[in-house]
Amino acid sequence: MDEQELRKQAHDLDVTVWVGKGGLDPVVEEVSDQLADRDLIKVKFLRAAQGGTTVEELAAELAERVDATVIETRGNTGVLYR
């Protein structure tokens, strides 16, 4: 599947993981479990999680930790694919 098709699929997805002030560590296992069940998920990065970094940086780090690919980031939301 190409990136454009994945973006279309992601458009109708609901956010299923929220990253808060605890950062990425508390959600890594949950994201990995969700990606095992379905290939595409949306992650919301709350402002408290950003702490001087960008959503793009956080999404890239999370994707690296769970062996996934960042399809897109928009606003405070990222879409991951495995």
Side-chain angles (χ1 to χ4, degrees):
M1 220 178 291
D2 72 1
E3 204 168 291
Q4 186 174 9
E5 288 177 33
L6 291 171
R7 286 182 182 179
K8 285 180 186 178
Q9 284 184 7
H11 180 74
D12 294 329
L13 287 178
D14 292 326
V15 173
T16 56
V17 177
W18 288 262
V19 179
K21 66 181 176 182
L24 297 177
D25 292 335
V27 299
V28 169
E29 189 174 334
E30 177 63 25
V31 169
S32 185
D33 290 347
Q34 286 192 24
L35 284 169
D37 291 340
R38 50 191 170 281
D39 293 333
L40 200 61
I41 65 168
K42 270 188 184 176
V43 180
K44 179 85 165 199
F45 298 94
L46 304 177
R47 289 193 182 173
Q50 295 177 23
T53 63
T54 66
V55 171
E56 290 81 9
E57 291 169 336
L58 287 170
E61 184 178 342
L62 182 57
E64 185 177 315
R65 288 188 184 190
V66 297
D67 192 29
T69 303
V70 178
I71 297 302
E72 73 175 329
T73 57
R74 185 173 292 178
N76 292 323
T77 306
V79 178
L80 301 181
Y81 172 74
R82 185 188 299 164

